[in-house]
Every structure is written in structure tokens, then in C-alpha cells.
Amino acid sequence: MEVVIVPDAVAGGELIAEAIATLVRRKPDALLGVATGSTPLPIYEALAAKVRSGAVDASRARICQLDEYVGLPAGHPESYRSVVLREVVEPLGLGEQSFMGPDGAAEDVQAACEAYDRALREAGGVDLQLLGIGTDGHIGFNEPCSSLASRTRIKTLTQQTREDNARFFDSLDEVPHHVITQGIGTILEARHLVLLATGEGKADAVAHAVEGPVAALVPASALQLHPHATVVVDEAAAAKLKLADYFRATYAAKPAWQGL
């Protein structure tokens, strides 16, 4: 696991956007796994700016969802399908044919989960998966004590996660109780995992995930098992890291050819 400490969220977004651009230049039809929420917005804004300027041609890139609410219709403004189309697909100049995600409105949710897992494999696997981290250490919607070998499945949200997401709805009552999420085992199959965390509210979760033991209690700690996992954090989110100075030194000495 590589830990990169950046000054702020904008710097983190630019760094990760350039890593994605480098990947797309090398593999134009790369499958990019995206996360939702406010944290990754600087990534998408920086990447869209690169597309508009001609610095990268993303016209053949493919986008896939990490998770989806259960029960919200596809056209609901807070369904993750709508959010990804609005914040990622459209700004990159892509069409819906470039996008894939689980069906949160399916009558048979379990079948929809299995179908999405299968679709990711048939698409050749995710080349780069973006991740955020919850205040309780969750990734995707794999809440604490999720199996580290789990596949795409339905999960019940904790009260904390529903409260954290209530800012996107008119009230807490409108936040769904269930989601479809890529499981930790599914996430770990991506070729490169990139987690972005910003703000002091994520400092404890980051420290437990990066420097603590690999444990289902902190789902993000599973990134320690991945051969190519990158954790990008701003100074506030890095505040609880005991090895922060070491992480700064190793990144400063990193050969440029290695990339992110």
C-alpha cells in the first residue's frame, strides 16, 4: 500500500485525475470504477478539465458503479446511477452506453447482484477503482464486519451511514435502508485501487485502515492485501497517522517513472 499525503482536496483530485489520464492514454477503453459522494468530486472536475483541454481523450473509456441504493428508481436524482451520469459520464463527454451499474430497482435484488458481478468479469475487470472511506472505515457500502471475501450483494446501512448520507436528501427518512454494493472480494479484483480521504473527520478511519490490523471491523483495511493500492489523503485526514513523516519521505523519493 502506498500512502500519499497532499496539501488539500484539490491537490488530491489533480493527482488522481492525472493517474487516470495516464491509464486512459495507455489503455483507451479502460474500465474505471467510480465512487459517489462529495470526496471524489475534485477528481472528476480535474479529469473533465483535462478532457476539455484535449490533454486526454476519454471517448472510449468505460465507467462502472461501486454501489447503488435499493428501491430508488433509476431516474431518481439521488440514485447513484443518476449521480454518476451527472458528475462523471456527462462531463467526460461519454454516453450511457459507456456506463454500467447494478439495478437497484430490480424485483430480484439477489439476481441483480450476481448479474453485476458477472458483468464486471465479462467486461474484463476493473482497471482502476476509486474509493472513499466512511467514518466507520467502510468502503463501498461494506459496513464494519463485512466479509473480506464478499461479492456484490445487498447490505443494510448502519444508522451512522444513513445520517452521513442524509445531506443529499430532504430528510433522514428518505435515505434508503438497503443498498447493492460491490463486495470487498469484488473490489479487491480491480487492478488498481485508489482511495481518497479528506478532512479531519476521516483521520481515525484512515489511521485504522492504513496502520491497523487487517480486520472486518475496518473494511478499508482490506486494501493492505492488494498488490497495487494507493491511499491519497490531505493533511487533515493524515493527522492520526503515526508514520506520516515516513509516507512523505517515501513519496518524495519515488522515481517519476513509477507513477501513482
Side-chain angles (χ1 to χ4, degrees):
M1 176 187 291
E2 179 180 31
V3 178
V4 182
I5 301 174
V6 295
D8 51 37
V10 173
E14 177 59 37
L15 180 69
I16 296 171
E18 182 54 36
I20 295 172
T22 299
L23 168 63
V24 171
R25 293 183 191 111
R26 184 179 76 250
K27 185 177 182 181
D29 64 344
L31 180 57
L32 307 174
V34 297
T36 53
S38 55
T39 299
L41 290 179
I43 303 172
Y44 307 143
E45 291 166 359
L47 186 58
K50 292 180 185 296
V51 169
R52 290 194 301 270
S53 71
V56 62
D57 178 4
S59 61
R60 293 173 56 196
R62 298 169 294 157
I63 305 296
C64 64
Q65 277 179 259
L66 180 62
D67 40 39
E68 181 59 276
Y69 285 119
V70 169
L72 292 186
H76 190 287
E78 293 307 324
S79 75
Y80 285 148
R81 179 182 183 87
S82 293
V83 172
V84 170
L85 290 174
R86 186 168 64 242
E87 296 180 351
V88 184
V89 175
E90 293 173 5
L92 294 183
L94 302 175
E96 289 197 40
Q97 73 280 359
S98 302
F99 169 82
M100 57 190 296
D103 183 1
E107 290 187 12
D108 188 337
V109 177
Q110 181 58 38
C113 294
E114 295 170 0
Y116 189 50
D117 230 37
R118 185 167 58 253
L120 292 174
R121 291 194 300 271
E122 292 174 351
V126 179
D127 291 293
L128 185 150
Q129 177 65 59
L130 295 174
L131 299 166
I133 185 171
T135 54
D136 58 2
H138 74 256
I139 50 174
F141 276 120
N142 295 285
E143 300 284 16
C145 291
S146 292
S147 165
L148 301 186
S150 55
R151 309 300 306 178
T152 300
R153 69 213 190 284
I154 186 171
K155 287 290 289 182
T156 301
L157 298 180
T158 64
Q159 183 67 12
Q160 180 63 60
T161 298
R162 292 184 68 245
E163 291 175 359
D164 288 347
N165 287 4
R167 67 188 187 278
F168 299 112
F169 294 82
D170 290 334
S171 70
L172 177 60
D173 291 340
E174 293 185 11
V175 182
H177 286 268
H178 298 94
V179 290
I180 292 174
T181 184
Q182 287 187 36
I184 297 173
T186 307
I187 290 170
L188 291 176
E189 290 178 352
R191 295 176 182 87
H192 186 190
L193 300 178
V194 180
L195 186 152
L196 176 63
T198 57
E200 61 182 358
K202 300 296 179 71
D204 284 321
V206 167
H208 289 310
V210 171
E211 297 178 335
V214 175
L217 189 61
V218 184
S221 67
L223 270 67
Q224 296 180 37
L225 302 173
H226 197 277
H228 190 190
T230 307
V231 176
V232 179
V233 292
D234 68 359
E235 291 289 348
K240 300 291 183 69
L241 290 172
K242 297 177 182 178
L243 297 177
D245 289 341
Y246 171 72
F247 296 139
R248 292 188 183 94
T250 54
Y251 185 68
K254 184 177 181 178
W257 56 264
Q258 282 190 319
L260 190 63

